Structure formats: C-alpha cells, structure tokens
Amino acid sequence: DAGLDESQIAKRTADHFGSTHHEMRLTTSLGREIFEKFLTSVDQPSIDGFNTYVVSSLAREVGAKVVLSGLGGDELFGGYSSFWKIPALLKACHAIQAIPFAGAITSKILRSRMWSPRLRRVGALLKSPVSIREAYRSYRGIYLVEEAQKLAMHATGATDKEASYTGLAAGASDPLNAVSELELTFYMRNQLLRDSDVMSMAHGLELRVPLVDAGLFHAIARLPAAVRIQQGKQLLAEAVPEIPAWVIEQPKRGFVFPFADWMETPQWKPVFDNAMKNLPVPAVAWYQRWSVFMFHHWCRSVGIH
C-alpha cells in the first residue's frame, strides 16, 4: 500500500546511521498466510498484535534475538492525535450541552445508524455530563457501550450485569496529563505492552522497551505538561540532536496494515463474513468487524459458547 509504505525512509535512515537494513514486502496473500499462524498465539482477545507478530517474524528470520521497541514515546511525549483531539472534543461537547436541549437533540440525531461509528459514539457521549475520561473512551472506542455489552452477551452467553462497563480512571486534572495517563494505562499497559510481549515471544524474541522506564518517567513527570507534551514529540526529538531533520519532519504514521482493503479480498473476506452472522449490532467499520472476529475466535478457542 503506497500510503502506508515506509521502506524508503527506513532505508535512508539505515544508510545514514550505517545500520543493516531488512525489508519484508507484505502482500495480501502473505498477510493472510501469516494471519493463520498469528491466531494460534492469541491467548487473550485483543484488537492489536498482528503488526508486532509480523515484524517479529522478520526480526527472527534475520537472526535477531533481542529487539528494541519505541513503546512509550507517544504516550509520554504527545505523539498521538488524541492529545489534541480529545480536549477539543471535550470543549465542543461542553459548548453544545450549555445550550438548552441541544445536547439531548444532538445526541439523539448522532446515535442514528445513518452516521459513522465515530459520530455515533460522540452522540452517546452527549447523553450525560462529559468528562475527559468518557471523551477518551469515545475517541478510542470501537462500539457504543450498550453495543459492546450486547456483543459480549451474544458471544459468551453472559448476562447484562456480567457484561457491565465500569469506566476508565484518570486522576490528573490537566487535560494533557489526563490523556497521557489514560494512554499509558488503558492503551499502552493494558494492550500494547501485553500484545508486544506475547507476539515477540511467539518468535523467541526478547523485547526491550527503554522508554517505559521508571527512572525516565519520574524524571520527566515533574515537567509541566505543556513542556513535556508537544506536537511531534518535540521534547524527545530535541533531546537526540543526531536525528536528521528529514526524519523528524516526517508526518506521524501509525504502524498499520491495509486491513480495510484486505478484508474485501477473496483471501480474507470469507473469514470475517462468517463471524458477522447474526450479530445483534451492526459492524460497519473494518475495525469493528476485526474486533468481533478476534473476540469470537478467542471465545471458540477456549470453549465459550
């Protein structure tokens, strides 16, 4: 996928620092082949991990035993768009709710199934007083809370009480620090670190995460949020002057594959279509279909329902 291909900038960086460079051309068919192997390593339901599994397979193939990960950089130094979009979402919701009846009316309109999953989550957000925690969940979420509960009940046979949602915790009052805290705990700790550990160990790799270091955290946590958290991870970039400008000036990219395109191909489509049968809620976006499939696969693998 031309829009996701980082091979040229990676090669230029390797040439600049004199390091050895390896490439994998991940086609639709190769991705599908690796996906079957990946599923055997999934010991807990997760929407992530496949990208780490693939790059770990390449690292192992070229002889690496210990690898470094940049996990923690985005969460500590403001690398995600969530740092700017969540406070903006919170401000917009408060402005709408300040107008009599506007919050309830807008919520009802946006929760209609004619809108995108993201707008429907914003509609659900407007139903009640909005906090930074609930704005974060709306931004990072996949389904509305009630839809997620229905899916859990559908897949596992659980009751509505057993599939209840307890919310997210964030103690920081400053919006930037609050988003950082939520990204560090809810996303990095509960998902990225766990998936990275499992999928690297699936290939016998020892994964090291130097940015997730207690000493580093305590040193930079004393800095004001406006200094530590800047667009483009400015503080981190300035701390390493050896990094060329043409690396720093690259636009932020997520480590993603063309899943939406893959899931419409003959190699991938039947696998996901089978998991979508008789769903109690719509699965419109590719990431909704992916999450439903992964949850159903895990339920079957452990003999649930």
Side-chain angles (χ1 to χ4, degrees):
D1 186 291
L4 301 177
D5 187 2
E6 296 182 80
S7 60
Q8 290 305 308
I9 190 70
K11 185 178 187 307
R12 185 180 177 187
T13 305
D15 291 343
H16 177 82
F17 287 107
S19 60
T20 306
H21 179 64
H22 299 278
E23 287 186 4
M24 171 189 281
R25 308 306 296 180
L26 191 62
T27 61
T28 303
S29 55
L30 178 58
R32 179 70 181 85
E33 180 184 324
I34 297 176
F35 183 66
E36 288 299 320
K37 300 173 184 176
F38 159 74
L39 290 175
T40 64
S41 298
V42 177
D43 62 344
Q44 289 185 28
S46 175
I47 62 166
D48 214 321
F50 183 55
N51 48 10
T52 303
Y53 184 92
V54 173
V55 77
S56 294
S57 71
L58 174 62
R60 196 70 182 88
E61 183 181 310
V62 300
K65 299 289 182 67
V66 181
V67 293
L68 295 176
S69 168
L71 269 176
D74 288 320
E75 294 81 0
L76 286 172
F77 298 101
Y80 295 133
S81 60
S82 59
F83 284 91
W84 326 110
K85 291 185 177 180
I86 290 172
L89 174 62
L90 184 66
K91 184 177 180 180
C93 287
H94 285 165
I96 292 171
Q97 291 180 331
I99 304 171
F101 308 111
I105 294 170
T106 307
S107 174
K108 185 175 181 179
I109 293 171
L110 291 181
R111 280 183 288 136
S112 167
R113 290 186 178 179
M114 67 178 287
W115 301 106
S116 69
R118 174 159 286 184
L119 281 177
R120 293 187 68 229
R121 294 197 301 274
V122 173
L125 183 65
L126 285 165
K127 285 173 62 179
S128 56
V130 182
S131 68
I132 193 79
R133 297 181 294 277
E134 294 309 308
Y136 177 84
R137 193 211 176 279
S138 175
Y139 181 84
R140 281 289 189 193
I142 296 174
Y143 283 98
L144 306 186
V145 170
E146 56 265 32
E147 290 178 334
Q149 290 173 326
K150 288 179 181 178
L151 284 168
M153 293 161 63
H154 172 76
T156 65
T159 66
D160 56 349
K161 290 183 179 179
E162 290 170 328
S164 64
Y165 169 65
T166 57
L168 306 172
S173 57
D174 179 273
L176 288 177
N177 274 330
V179 174
S180 181
E181 183 181 355
L182 288 162
E183 293 288 22
L184 283 165
T185 55
F186 183 68
Y187 188 38
M188 187 192 77
R189 181 190 66 193
N190 291 0
Q191 182 171 308
L192 298 181
L193 280 175
R194 206 206 72 82
D195 287 345
S196 294
D197 179 56
V198 170
M199 297 310 162
S200 57
M201 286 305 297
H203 297 281
L205 285 178
E206 290 287 344
L207 184 77
R208 298 288 181 261
V209 283
L211 293 179
V212 185
D213 176 81
L216 174 64
F217 175 81
H218 289 302
I220 66 171
R222 295 192 294 267
L223 297 172
V227 174
R228 175 169 64 89
I229 300 170
Q230 301 178 51
Q231 287 192 348
K233 293 179 280 191
Q234 216 42 48
L235 184 66
L236 181 61
E238 290 172 0
V240 190
E242 294 84 0
I243 301 176
W246 44 265
V247 172
I248 295 174
E249 291 165 2
Q250 286 291 311
K252 169 68 177 172
R253 297 182 179 94
F255 183 26
V256 295
F257 298 153
F259 293 121
D261 293 336
W262 283 357
M263 289 164 69
E264 297 302 321
T265 64
Q267 298 102 311
W268 289 79
K269 196 173 189 299
V271 177
F272 289 88
D273 284 352
N274 288 335
M276 300 305 114
K277 294 177 181 176
N278 304 315
L279 287 185
V281 299
V284 180
W286 74 264
Y287 57 83
Q288 292 180 319
R289 298 172 65 202
W290 181 279
S291 65
V292 166
F293 172 82
M294 294 304 298
F295 188 48
H296 275 250
H297 168 78
W298 177 79
C299 287
R300 290 195 305 270
S301 70
V302 297
I304 296 177
H305 211 44

